[in-house]
Amino acid sequence: MFAPPIQRLIAEFAKLPGVGQRTAQRLALHVLRGTDADAASLAAAIAEVKAQVRPCEICFDLTDQVRCRICEDPRRDATTLCVVEDPADVISLERTHEFHGRYHVLGGALSPLDGVDPEDLRLPELYRRLRGSEVRELIVATNPTTSGEATALHIARELRGVAPQVRVTRLAAGLSVGADLEYTDEVTLGRALLGRREL
Amino acid sequence: MFAPPIQRLIAEFAKLPGVGQRTAQRLALHVLRGTDADAASLAAAIAEVKAQVRPCEICFDLTDQVRCRICEDPRRDATTLCVVEDPADVISLERTHEFHGRYHVLGGALSPLDGVDPEDLRLPELYRRLRGSEVRELIVATNPTTSGEATALHIARELRGVAPQVRVTRLAAGLSVGADLEYTDEVTLGRALLGRREL
């Protein structure tokens, strides 16, 4: 058995997602082998992130200000809003350089079995934000999973009452770029067929 | 782009072994989603491990005391010493419950190309420890890799001068328990043949 402080650190690392006992042990021994300064800066970064980061008051993306950089950027198109589940999804969409509107981060997807109901997400805030706004299109970019689809359908239905002027769209489903038909699952391939486009 | 404190934490996590950019991002967002108490206890565990853990003054295994628990345990056989590369190897050997002697942690293996020479390891300390000691067998449990084998040969050669009364042994190489001959590499299979035992 390792000395108690090492055991404690292994236990802490093992709480992280995707980190098992073996990986946690490797990380802990790495920290021990490293310099004191390296360990101190890791510990400080963890403490600081919790102290300094909060949700943007408009879109609920993570920020170290009151409002995030995208909400504060006057060049972003205020007529198009993209709804995502998590802050990481904002980063993924920004990497495409194809979207120039603003975001709304739900903080998850509907999943009644896991106890995630509409009031657990930033849905009331979304409807309040849309009511009487200049938004013309709402791109619901929740994941193409059961709960992501359920969330998208829920939003589309609610919006008919709350903000009927808003067009609700969904990201296309289909083949991954560079993929092989032979190895594409039948559901995705079916969606690719249904969504086929004229050349 | 994430807010700067998140970027900093991602960069810190990405320095850990086996943690790429994507994993680092997932870990950072997990810390952000968790409670303040969880983040504080992870940060504290990292700081404490560096403050409280040091090498045992006898065997150089990690300990939060002056001497490790194995060196302090009078029931451990003082006539058998097992040389390992790293503290993690001590844990692996202890898990077998087959070894009842003591350890000596080298802190790596000889690798002149990477700049690891005999004086970078705890080899002088090993020879000092063996000279005139009651140790009768030295099990060299360095890894079955080029540098582990080189280290074992180096130790065996040096000991002839330093402590000729000590028998130097090496862990057996052979099939993994539960393995399939068909999928065993030829070097390991060759070693298994050479090391065959009478039934």
Side-chain angles (χ1 to χ4, degrees), chain A residues 2-9 29 32 36, chain B residues 45 47-56 61-65:
Chain A
F2 286 111
I6 310 179
Q7 297 280 19
R8 266 198 301 277
L9 182 56
L29 292 176
L32 270 165
D36 283 2
Chain B
E48 272 165 28
V49 89
K50 292 301 282 188
Q52 298 176 5
V53 174
R54 64 186 75 84
C56 165
D61 192 9
L62 298 168
T63 178
D64 57 347
Q65 310 294 322

Coordinates of all heavy atoms in Angstrom, one line a residue, chain A residues 2-9 29 32 36, chain B residues 45 47-56 61-65:
Chain A
F2 N 0.4 2.3 -0.7 CA 1.1 3.5 -0.7 C 0.9 4.3 0.6 O -0.1 4.0 1.3 CB 0.6 4.4 -1.9 CG 1.0 4.0 -3.2 CD1 0.1 3.5 -4.1 CD2 2.3 4.1 -3.6 CE1 0.5 3.1 -5.4 CE2 2.7 3.8 -4.9 CZ 1.8 3.2 -5.8
A3 N 1.7 5.3 0.9 CA 1.6 6.1 2.1 C 0.2 6.9 1.9 O -0.2 7.1 0.8 CB 2.7 7.1 2.1
P4 N -0.4 7.2 3.1 CA -1.8 7.8 3.1 C -1.9 9.0 2.2 O -2.9 9.1 1.4 CB -2.0 8.1 4.5 CG -1.2 7.1 5.3 CD 0.0 6.9 4.5
P5 N -1.0 10.0 2.1 CA -1.2 11.1 1.2 C -1.3 10.7 -0.2 O -2.0 11.3 -1.0 CB 0.0 12.0 1.5 CG 0.6 11.6 2.8 CD 0.3 10.1 2.9
I6 N -0.5 9.7 -0.6 CA -0.5 9.2 -2.0 C -1.9 8.5 -2.2 O -2.5 8.7 -3.3 CB 0.6 8.2 -2.3 CG1 2.0 8.8 -1.8 CG2 0.7 7.9 -3.8 CD1 3.1 7.9 -2.0
Q7 N -2.3 7.7 -1.3 CA -3.6 7.0 -1.4 C -4.7 8.0 -1.6 O -5.6 7.9 -2.4 CB -4.0 6.2 -0.1 CG -3.0 5.1 0.2 CD -3.4 3.9 -0.7 OE1 -4.0 3.9 -1.7 NE2 -2.8 2.7 -0.2
R8 N -4.6 9.1 -0.8 CA -5.7 10.2 -0.9 C -5.7 10.8 -2.3 O -6.7 11.0 -2.9 CB -5.4 11.3 0.1 CG -6.2 11.1 1.4 CD -6.3 12.3 2.2 NE -5.0 12.8 2.6 CZ -4.3 12.4 3.6 NH1 -4.7 11.4 4.4 NH2 -3.1 12.9 3.9
L9 N -4.5 11.1 -2.9 CA -4.4 11.7 -4.2 C -4.9 10.7 -5.2 O -5.6 11.1 -6.2 CB -3.0 12.2 -4.5 CG -2.8 12.9 -5.8 CD1 -3.7 14.1 -6.0 CD2 -1.4 13.3 -6.0
L29 N 1.8 9.3 -9.2 CA 3.2 9.1 -9.2 C 3.9 10.1 -10.1 O 5.0 10.6 -9.8 CB 3.6 7.7 -9.6 CG 3.1 6.6 -8.5 CD1 3.4 5.2 -9.0 CD2 3.8 6.9 -7.2
L32 N 4.2 13.2 -8.1 CA 5.3 13.1 -7.1 C 6.6 13.2 -7.7 O 7.6 13.8 -7.1 CB 5.1 11.7 -6.4 CG 4.3 11.7 -5.2 CD1 3.9 10.3 -4.8 CD2 5.0 12.4 -4.0
D36 N 8.0 20.7 -7.3 CA 7.0 21.3 -6.4 C 6.2 22.3 -7.2 O 5.0 22.5 -7.0 CB 7.7 21.9 -5.2 CG 8.1 20.8 -4.2 OD1 7.9 19.6 -4.5 OD2 8.7 21.2 -3.2
Chain B
A45 N -5.2 17.6 -2.1 CA -4.5 16.3 -2.1 C -3.2 16.4 -3.0 O -2.2 15.8 -2.6 CB -5.4 15.2 -2.8
A47 N -1.4 19.2 -3.3 CA -0.4 20.0 -2.5 C 0.2 19.2 -1.4 O 1.4 19.2 -1.2 CB -1.1 21.3 -2.0
E48 N -0.7 18.4 -0.7 CA -0.2 17.6 0.4 C 0.7 16.5 0.0 O 1.7 16.2 0.7 CB -1.4 16.9 1.1 CG -2.0 17.8 2.2 CD -3.4 17.3 2.6 OE1 -3.7 16.1 2.5 OE2 -4.2 18.2 3.0
V49 N 0.5 15.9 -1.1 CA 1.3 14.8 -1.5 C 2.8 15.2 -1.7 O 3.7 14.6 -1.3 CB 0.7 14.1 -2.8 CG1 1.3 14.7 -4.1 CG2 1.0 12.6 -2.8
K50 N 2.9 16.5 -2.3 CA 4.2 17.0 -2.4 C 4.9 17.4 -1.1 O 6.1 17.3 -0.9 CB 4.2 18.2 -3.4 CG 3.9 17.9 -4.8 CD 4.8 16.9 -5.4 CE 6.2 17.5 -5.8 NZ 7.0 16.5 -6.6
A51 N 4.0 17.9 -0.2 CA 4.6 18.4 1.1 C 4.9 17.2 2.0 O 5.9 17.3 2.8 CB 3.6 19.3 1.8
Q52 N 4.2 16.1 1.9 CA 4.3 15.1 2.9 C 5.0 13.8 2.5 O 5.5 13.1 3.4 CB 2.9 14.7 3.4 CG 2.2 15.8 4.1 CD 0.7 15.5 4.5 OE1 0.3 14.3 4.3 NE2 0.0 16.4 4.9
V53 N 5.2 13.6 1.2 CA 5.8 12.4 0.8 C 7.2 12.5 0.4 O 7.6 13.5 -0.3 CB 5.0 11.8 -0.4 CG1 5.6 10.5 -0.9 CG2 3.6 11.4 0.1
R54 N 8.1 11.6 0.8 CA 9.5 11.7 0.5 C 10.0 10.3 0.3 O 9.3 9.3 0.7 CB 10.2 12.4 1.6 CG 10.2 11.7 3.0 CD 10.8 12.5 4.1 NE 10.0 13.6 4.5 CZ 9.0 13.5 5.4 NH1 8.7 12.3 5.9 NH2 8.2 14.5 5.7
P55 N 11.2 10.1 -0.2 CA 11.7 8.7 -0.3 C 12.2 8.2 1.1 O 12.7 8.9 1.9 CB 13.0 8.8 -1.2 CG 13.1 10.3 -1.6 CD 12.2 11.1 -0.7
C56 N 11.9 6.9 1.3 CA 12.3 6.2 2.5 C 13.9 6.3 2.6 O 14.5 6.1 1.6 CB 11.9 4.7 2.5 SG 12.7 3.7 3.7
D61 N 11.7 3.9 -1.4 CA 10.3 3.8 -1.8 C 9.6 5.1 -1.2 O 10.2 5.7 -0.3 CB 9.6 2.6 -1.1 CG 8.2 2.3 -1.7 OD1 7.8 3.0 -2.7 OD2 7.5 1.4 -1.2
L62 N 8.4 5.4 -1.7 CA 7.8 6.7 -1.2 C 7.1 6.4 0.2 O 6.5 5.4 0.4 CB 6.7 7.1 -2.2 CG 7.3 7.5 -3.5 CD1 6.2 7.6 -4.6 CD2 8.1 8.7 -3.5
T63 N 7.2 7.4 1.1 CA 6.6 7.3 2.4 C 6.3 8.7 2.9 O 6.9 9.6 2.5 CB 7.6 6.5 3.4 OG1 7.0 6.5 4.6 CG2 9.0 7.3 3.4
D64 N 5.4 8.7 3.9 CA 5.2 10.0 4.6 C 5.9 10.0 5.9 O 5.7 10.9 6.7 CB 3.7 10.3 4.7 CG 2.9 9.2 5.5 OD1 3.5 8.1 5.6 OD2 1.8 9.4 5.8
Q65 N 6.7 9.0 6.2 CA 7.5 8.9 7.4 C 9.0 9.1 7.0 O 9.3 9.3 5.8 CB 7.3 7.6 8.2 CG 5.9 7.2 8.4 CD 5.2 8.2 9.3 OE1 5.8 8.7 10.3 NE2 3.9 8.6 9.1

